[in-house]
Amino acid sequence: MDAIDLKILALLQADATLSIAAIGERVGLSQTPCWKRIQKLEADGVIDRRVAVLDPVKLGLGLTVFVSIETADHSQDWLQRFAATISAMPEVLEFYRMAGDVDYMLRVVVADMQAYDSFYKQLIAVLPLKNVTSRFAMEKVKSTTALPLPAPPKTGRHLPGTAPVLSVVGE
């Protein structure tokens, strides 16, 4: 990845609806080279997907809950069953296996406390859990999907884990 790729990524993180022409203009490329770079970033998995970010409150989903889970069973079989079950629950937006005193962390979005209570009852009925702790968000202070991108590489250098990129005049 070079400085142009990083600029493209920054633009797409801010607004994935930008046209190829608009992106190319902002990074100094014509449409075809810009499109080829975006396709390569997608093929390499750097761009995972392009989505619309919705406002949960405007959709009636005003309660965000962070759920910490501890389990007594750490077997691979249990994890696979648990992961499949949790992944199928639409209220769960994020699901992490953790290091430390908590085994799993979920970010759950629901309409209200009654909806969370239904979710909670479904969660504890699935598989045996040692402890479930719920933390309710009172206010969203910051929320972003944009990752902090590294600084562009200096001349003659490249990002760790990537091959050097040669620039072609007019690219």
Side-chain angles (χ1 to χ4, degrees):
M1 271 192 292
D2 63 11
I4 293 174
D5 289 333
L6 292 170
K7 287 179 187 176
I8 289 170
L9 292 173
L11 289 167
L12 287 173
Q13 283 195 122
D15 184 358
T17 66
L18 287 172
S19 69
I20 301 300
I23 295 169
E25 183 179 310
R26 293 183 189 182
V27 301
L29 294 176
S30 63
Q31 286 187 35
T32 301
C34 182
W35 178 237
K36 286 182 179 178
R37 282 178 180 255
I38 292 171
Q39 286 179 316
K40 181 163 178 14
L41 290 165
E42 288 175 335
D44 291 347
V46 176
I47 297 174
D48 185 37
R49 63 185 174 258
R50 297 187 228 179
V51 299
V53 179
L54 308 178
D55 184 331
V57 174
K58 290 183 180 175
L59 293 169
L61 300 168
L63 185 62
T64 299
V65 187
F66 296 92
V67 182
S68 304
I69 298 171
E70 295 176 58
T71 180
D73 190 343
H74 296 276
S75 69
Q76 189 64 29
D77 179 57
W78 187 92
L79 172 56
Q80 288 175 343
R81 287 185 295 139
F82 184 63
T85 302
I86 297 300
S87 296
M89 298 172 133
E91 303 90 345
V92 178
L93 300 188
E94 295 179 82
F95 174 30
Y96 298 95
R97 189 168 62 89
M98 306 294 290
D101 61 345
V102 172
D103 297 311
Y104 302 95
M105 179 71 73
L106 313 177
R107 181 168 67 97
V108 176
V109 175
V110 291
D112 53 26
M113 189 61 73
Q114 184 178 355
Y116 180 70
D117 187 47
S118 295
F119 169 84
Y120 177 81
K121 288 174 182 173
Q122 181 185 1
L123 174 68
I124 62 172
V126 173
L127 290 166
L129 303 172
K130 180 178 171 185
N131 187 34
V132 177
T133 303
S134 305
R135 293 174 177 86
F136 300 91
M138 297 187 328
E139 176 185 11
K140 183 189 301 185
V141 178
K142 178 183 178 180
S143 177
T144 183
T145 60
L147 296 174
L149 297 173
K154 296 183 172 136
T155 307
R157 301 192 56 150
H158 59 278
L159 295 174
T162 64
V165 176
L166 298 176
S167 296
V168 177
V169 176
E171 181 181 25

